[in-house]
Amino acid sequence: MKTKKLLIIFVLVFCNKMYAQKYKSMMNDNSINFYDVVKEAEAYFKTVDIHAKKSGYKKFRRWYSNNEYKYFPSGNRLNVDHAFPEKAYQKYLKNNKKSLAKTTNNNGNWRELGPLSINKISNHYVAGAGRIVDFKVNPNNTDQIYICSRSGGLWKTTDEGKTWYSTATETLLATGVNSVAVDPLDFNHIFIISQNARNRYTYGIYESFDGGDSFKATNFNPEVLGIGGLGSSFTMYTLAMHPTLPNVIFAGTSRGLYKTTDNFNTWTKVISSGNIIQIEPHPTNPQIIYAFNNNNKNTLYTSYNTGGNFVTTIVDNKNETAIIETTKDAPDEVYMVSIGGGILKSTNTGKDFSFVSNQFTTIEDVEADVFVINSNNKNNMVVGSIDAANSTDGGLTFTQRTDWNLGDEFYESEDIAFNYFNSNTYIHADLRASSSINGVFYVATDGCLAKSTDGGVKWTNLMQKNTPGIRENYKLGVSQSNNNIVVCGSQDNGTSIKNDNGWLEAFGADGMEGIIAPINPEYIISSIQYGERIRSVNGGLNVTTVISNDTDGWWES
């Protein structure tokens, strides 16, 4: 009888997971009507706790809000031309030659207002610049860094974050950049993936020889491929430049793994299908390349001939999305790490694996969205998701080192602003990417790029004051009596208020709609996701939560 009950529970859990995967796969298949996807997803979410962590509901609501306007009212997702922004722009130039000839400013007298710095915080418990999804640090000069913004393009610094500069990605068809690969012989020679920020469909790979000051499209683009752009579900996840072989680059996509030996003038597909979300070259052996296929989560893909072909190793990864990691300190070791499978380690270039530990999963808000090993010390590791933890014993045990909420007891002071500007444990929430360069840890989060020089114990925010312009604003409210006063709600980085003295970081969460009273600009109402309202009567210096009726609104209510 006990066996039957266990079998029933297993079947129910398995079916629920399959149900979840169905709506996700439908989201990525543009042949399926938008409203059919919504119907499938809403049916699934009736079976789970939508407020639970990792339920997927927040991602679904964002997807819904970001896409419905494009397909309303028919829901047909196949009738969108991926090149329509460029065609519309060219049409505008053609039809407005006379008026354009009379002006010397083709920007229409627009100027950027920011925020490009964080100087004043009132009630914002998770202040940050914006989401960073990838980065590269020059190992020969660590002052030089590129960062990728999901919608704000590629930015760079030459003084380790004291100043940030935008690049020519602002002029591309799509300004989202989700991966950058750097020539190991020339840090100014880079490749990027250009993507539509709303749906993450690719606009191809672009190449720059001058550090991003100019870009040209490679042949790997929607026009040549016949896939990609708004009218396709083709997604590119990652680029990886071979660390020693010039012109050899790998591209992980939603249709397998591609390899080029001539900078994407031509290419071959070396893994025929699947979602290849990570590519990890061996630290010292140029022949060995590792890859992870998110369609086959219990499998490591390994090439022993520089990506010519791949063999697979079955790994007890509990069917979870995993991180692959290596270190120069133990070059033949390779790790697979996930929230379900824990830390799995191979000492023979991925031929077999053994279980190390899953102790990090017992720490609240520390999961496995990133995992990185010190390049100089194989026993020193950092793992994280919402928060980060480090290990000094090869992953057997971890200690939490960061906390995403500036108002938590984790911090000695109750002053949120003091904690932001003085703490060495604040790096914002939601870790997105990580690396170890010359024994120094770097992590990218939804709010900053940070580094640790002591093995992951203490952290320095490289965007603490001056920031790139990568804030992803949802909504905007402007005062009718003083147009210097503006309220903005942003993804991951809450509500910010611009006044006569600059920007004030006023409140956390995902900031949404904001309005300012017509006669009294000190009276401001802002919002967070699902319609919760925040009120201030003194310009954001103090806030109170408006009591609701315990009913959620829409994502951007």
Side-chain angles (χ1 to χ4, degrees), residues 514-527:
I515 58 174
I516 303 171
I519 299 176
N520 179 8
E522 295 284 295
Y523 193 105
I524 299 171
I525 296 178
S526 62
S527 309

Side-chain angles (χ1 to χ4, degrees), residues 85-86 153-154 167-177 192-195 203-207 214-217:
E86 173 68 12
L154 183 79
T167 66
T169 51
E170 293 183 353
T171 65
L172 300 183
L173 281 175
T175 59
V177 177
I192 63 167
I193 297 172
S194 174
Q195 69 166 8
Y203 276 76
I205 298 172
Y206 286 77
E207 181 179 17
S214 63
F215 282 96
K216 69 170 186 176

Side-chain angles (χ1 to χ4, degrees), residues 300 313 315 334-336 344-346 350-355:
L300 176 73
T313 302
V315 184
V334 57
Y335 290 76
M336 282 184 67
L344 304 170
K345 173 182 175 181
S346 171
K351 294 180 177 64
D352 56 59
F353 283 79
S354 60
F355 177 76

Side-chain angles (χ1 to χ4, degrees), residues 20-37:
Q21 292 302 318
K22 186 176 181 181
Y23 90 83
K24 290 179 181 178
S25 63
M26 290 171 68
M27 287 167 63
N28 293 322
D29 184 351
N30 271 26
S31 67
I32 300 175
N33 188 282
F34 174 81
Y35 293 105
D36 289 338
V37 181

Side-chain angles (χ1 to χ4, degrees), residues 115-184:
L116 297 172
S117 62
I118 297 176
N119 297 309
K120 189 172 183 180
I121 300 172
S122 58
N123 308 281
H124 202 319
Y125 50 84
V126 61
R131 178 180 294 188
I132 300 163
V133 293
D134 193 20
F135 65 90
K136 288 294 183 294
V137 179
N138 188 348
N140 301 312
N141 180 1
T142 55
D143 283 348
Q144 298 178 341
I145 305 170
Y146 296 109
I147 63 106
C148 300
S149 165
R150 180 177 61 176
S151 61
L154 183 79
W155 289 69
K156 63 181 180 180
T157 178
T158 57
D159 54 14
E160 202 182 40
K162 294 181 178 66
T163 52
W164 291 94
Y165 305 95
S166 63
T167 66
T169 51
E170 293 183 353
T171 65
L172 300 183
L173 281 175
T175 59
V177 177
N178 62 313
S179 186
V180 57
V182 180
D183 188 330

